[in-house]
Amino acid sequence: MKKIASGIYKMTFGTPEAITPVSVLQPGTRFEAINALKDHPLPFLQGDIGFGPRKGSVLLDIPLEPNEEVYGLGLQLKSFRQSGSKKKLRTNSDPAADLGDSHAPVPFYVSTAGYGVLIDTARYATFFCGGCKRVGSRQDEEGFKSAGTERGHWEVKKGSGNMLVDIPAAEGVDIYIFCGDDMKDAVSRYNLFSGGGALPPMWGLGVLYRADWHANQEDVLKLARQIREDDMPCDIFGLEPGWQTNAYSCTYVWDKCRFPDERALIRDLNEMGFRLNLWEHAYVHPESPIHNELKPYSGDSYVWDGLVPDFTQPQAREAFVGIHQSTIDAGLSGFKLDECDNGDYIGNWGFPDFARFPGGADGEQMHSLMGQLYQQTMLDPFVAANRRTYGQVRASHALAAPYPYVLYSDLYEHKDFVRGMATAAFSGLLWSPEVRQTATREELLRRIGAVIFSPLAVLNCYMIPSPPWKQYDHDKNHAGEWLEDWPQLTEQCRQLLQLRMRLIPYLYAAFGKYKVQGVPPIRPLVLDYPHDREVFDCFDQFMVGDDLLVAPVVYGSGDIRNLYLPEGRWYEWSAGQWIDGGQWITRQVPVDQVPMFIRKGALIPWAAPVSNVEDGGMLELHPVLYGADEGSCSLLCDDSTSYAYQSEGLTFGTINVSGDRTVSADAVISRRYTIGDVTFVKDEA
Amino acid sequence: MKKIASGIYKMTFGTPEAITPVSVLQPGTRFEAINALKDHPLPFLQGDIGFGPRKGSVLLDIPLEPNEEVYGLGLQLKSFRQSGSKKKLRTNSDPAADLGDSHAPVPFYVSTAGYGVLIDTARYATFFCGGCKRVGSRQDEEGFKSAGTERGHWEVKKGSGNMLVDIPAAEGVDIYIFCGDDMKDAVSRYNLFSGGGALPPMWGLGVLYRADWHANQEDVLKLARQIREDDMPCDIFGLEPGWQTNAYSCTYVWDKCRFPDERALIRDLNEMGFRLNLWEHAYVHPESPIHNELKPYSGDSYVWDGLVPDFTQPQAREAFVGIHQSTIDAGLSGFKLDECDNGDYIGNWGFPDFARFPGGADGEQMHSLMGQLYQQTMLDPFVAANRRTYGQVRASHALAAPYPYVLYSDLYEHKDFVRGMATAAFSGLLWSPEVRQTATREELLRRIGAVIFSPLAVLNCYMIPSPPWKQYDHDKNHAGEWLEDWPQLTEQCRQLLQLRMRLIPYLYAAFGKYKVQGVPPIRPLVLDYPHDREVFDCFDQFMVGDDLLVAPVVYGSGDIRNLYLPEGRWYEWSAGQWIDGGQWITRQVPVDQVPMFIRKGALIPWAAPVSNVEDGGMLELHPVLYGADEGSCSLLCDDSTSYAYQSEGLTFGTINVSGDRTVSADAVISRRYTIGDVTFVKDEA
């Protein structure tokens, strides 16, 4: 057992493998930040953990008390609290059942007892979160009343047991234990161990609109103009497969028939306030100019006849970045990194687990690590250019916190998408419940109402040529038949997206806290209220930053929303009234609204909404102080687009409202913000 | 490479494991029957097969030509033709996606080139059925045009490659290659290698009605009387968990409060013409009298606090059978063996893969083999009593053909259930698309219309106290509110179930052929017409025996049925007309009918329907000769309930219609059948 930082311990069992998340991804652990935190002892000793090999795997048997609740294990779309469950953590797109398959299966769990455990493996490890009782175990000695059924009843009860982790193909493993005051502290420490949270450029917190995949250069510019004419907030304009000469597999070569001049495209979009983002995946078509150069640094199986580059190899990364360099130099803002998630639900959208790679990984290990290796590869040229990027990705794993990529999925069940916002936060992941096709007006608005509180507000309109606020119906959109009342729907969409834009300074500060303290910017209530049993299964309510509680309405659940307010006093934004916490409440929520509650005492730095965030542009703040006479808020005041903070550190500034209602602000605030009048919302109670 | 029988070859790669289907299940291969078949050379040599270890697994690379189509891999509910797919064969209830999880994943595939391959492993092997192309492979050298997309199109094409089989934890494996004239011949040889097909008692081909799980002895008898009053065919009456004192886990002790006298129950049911079948699973409750005796012969993890017996151990089998012996002696007909299928979709309904068993298997291996070990255990006492049994089971694997147990599932999508009837036939499995709850009259009738053509006609009414023909709606059934027109629905159900009863002699003969020749009694068209591409994806039409083609209407697909008739002439049963084969036809099918076609020249031994098949009772035949002046059919003429055939051989008798319309029959026919007048259905074409 080795203590590696304040409250972080490493234990080694047997002989760990060479290819693991920690060894391959080499996290830039923020020791200084961690060691400034309070130290904590281990919740159990190495000797309390059982370890044994079986043929073809090793088993860890880690103490778990009956009163502990377990969360985590990465992006879990189908379940929230993991206590009692069994999860096999396999990178796999489109998890059809609650078995652990995930775009981002992370072998890290946290307990309400205030610690987290990272199993440093790139294998498809299986976690039994207390549901499996072993013969001769402590739980066995305590008797058999915990599970089974009562006479005449045949519902099965949850079993009781330790946390059992089965790791195939390994002969040993390192585990890291993250202690803390509570779960949030343990998660934050894990994120700092990973390198601190991702810091998007401020423009990344605006809206991403992804265009019809059949659009050509002219169509794209027409659509961009339409978005501006509609006064719809949008910072990022995304293209789908159609930009390349061949996309399954990819050439990474602009199709000059559709896009005769990509430099002009980027320039024209920039002039309208958009930044370009490009879809791609990593499987390299035989006709791609980098194919031959990559071949020696690729795996031994094809995907759609395309090479699978081994991004652990510098030569592979260099060749792969090389073919993108001129587009990046022309001003490209980032990528959507698709298909790196071992899709096999629709037949072989990935390489086999038995594939071998030049760097020594096999296919199973590469599936676990590919998402982040791909992210790192496509991050490097932006770091070199000292321009932050913010993109999308289909796969991640352990230690993902520092990567400025937001997960997305082809699954589309809204409840699962909202649940993903909650589970991502336990494991250093960012997730966007993107809006895609919608069957009804209500669906469009409900989905927008959730996505605006996520790390990336994505409208993925790749299937329709005109914006969904003109016509959400696929066929009618294609036929150019706009809704009769499209101006009204456009206004409703605009209001929701403008709410996102009004929150940008507040969100950006929350991401600053993610970067330097590791605190997830958007998180389920249980991270802030780990001792309130009412929130143990509350997967559809979120703390956004420290002072906003939002409860999106899941599409399909009707318009009646039951929600829980934790202890304290809360200001209900839509109704303009104060409510006591510690209770469940019920609201009828109109389709264009989202229940939002503000913590008493908070000073929220609302911004005047802009359509997009300009480099170096100023935002105008209209702070509101809720239920107090004095208060303050902290804002991140860097240039918001470069990596200067890596040498200079992140600069936060404070806005203060004192008891005599005077407002003061640190000088750095004026780098990015002008401050208008402060509004005071009284709590008369 | 070793030739082990006519057209059957064994190859060994590396060092095979000790625990495999062949080594543990010890099939009673029917060498005499196989060696009477035509010999065939191997489709490829051992040297054509690649074999290589990777860390934690071994890989087989078996030739597969682009023009071969692949079927098999056990009960696959979600897909039929496996060419191009990837399947990880894991025993797991409720497969939610098409990944290979199955109640009965069988590592055996067949090719339209006329051979089958059994990979003798109890591991969760992954099969890449031609969709994965490897660098440097023959397919690689042939160029890249096979997969990928064309410029401007982004649909993904199927890849091309060999059959790749990845076997975890193993260091070697035996494979068996079954050659033949065609796929059906290869499948039949595999079934004979397994020990020949299962032969149910004749009464097993009647109807099984499973009663409300809350019913007590009095309720059961009342329900049984109701079934007889309704003149509804039924041979088997099944109980659900409620018969035991504790069921999750199981005590195997009659709950005397509900069932004061089980011997009287069996006797009373027998007197009404029913045979009793009991639900159970194999996890042994701490309060079961056999718990302590079993403990040394059980695995090291509990399921619902119940022991998991290691049925490879004679002591475990003996203790387990012991507690059932008195009920078997009292006349019990068989069991429904539940929960042996590693359910983990609803949380830990199984032991972990890392469990260890006294006989040397780990949990992964035991999950593969448990279904058949459990079947064997519960078969032994019936063999000892010289009484055939016929039951239900939730899991099987390789070499299952001789086991008289029919698979069932908690999944309920009717299309998947019908597809299971097709896929089961490739791998020596019996499957019943049982009828359970239904939302509508149409659903009830459509589901009965399919199940009557399956190996076991199950009405699983465990959720409703009265028969569904009185009221299919769950709540109204509980409330005792019968349908206004229940007599009409009852008549419709009766007609369908009587159709089943009319087919019993024909079906029983088909099972006889399964036993001695290995030919699946119910099978998809591609087994009989492997060169007709029209049937390659035809999963919802079946040959029942050699002369009947049925095309059940999948519930939810409306009443318009497109179906394909293969070459030849066919008599459409409902319309009474002749049709040329080699074409697709469309029919509007009323809810109480099933499209059924009879091959020209067939003599079908229709029986007068009975409500149940008595031991030693005679059936009255009304043979019909279709489109010919002379013809014959073969019937199985044993005692239909004992194992006498094991020493005496199976006795078939022939009914002949000669050109002068005279009927003759072998003497043995009169053991079981009386023959009425023959009807001639002319084909005027």
Side-chain angles (χ1 to χ4, degrees), chain B residues 633-648:
Chain B
C633 68
S634 175
L635 293 179
L636 181 52
C637 302
D638 70 330
D639 65 26
S640 90
T641 58
S642 84
Y643 285 98
Y645 71 84
Q646 288 189 333
S647 47
E648 301 163 10

Side-chain angles (χ1 to χ4, degrees), chain B residues 302-318:
Chain B
Y302 295 102
V303 177
W304 310 307
D305 279 315
L307 290 173
V308 184
D310 180 347
F311 289 133
T312 69
Q313 302 299 292
Q315 299 93 331
R317 290 201 302 274
E318 200 178 313

Side-chain angles (χ1 to χ4, degrees), chain A residues 63-74:
Chain A
L64 191 67
E65 297 297 325
N67 62 352
E68 289 180 59
E69 300 292 340
V70 174
Y71 298 88
L73 302 181

Side-chain angles (χ1 to χ4, degrees), chain B residues 27 41 82 158 215 231 235 272 299 360-361 378 398 420 470 473-474 525 547 582 588 644:
Chain B
Q82 296 304 333
K158 203 184 89 179
D231 191 22
D235 271 275
M272 286 188 272
M378 301 311 280
K470 302 286 192 194
D473 181 87
H474 173 275
L525 299 189
D547 293 320
Q588 183 164 14

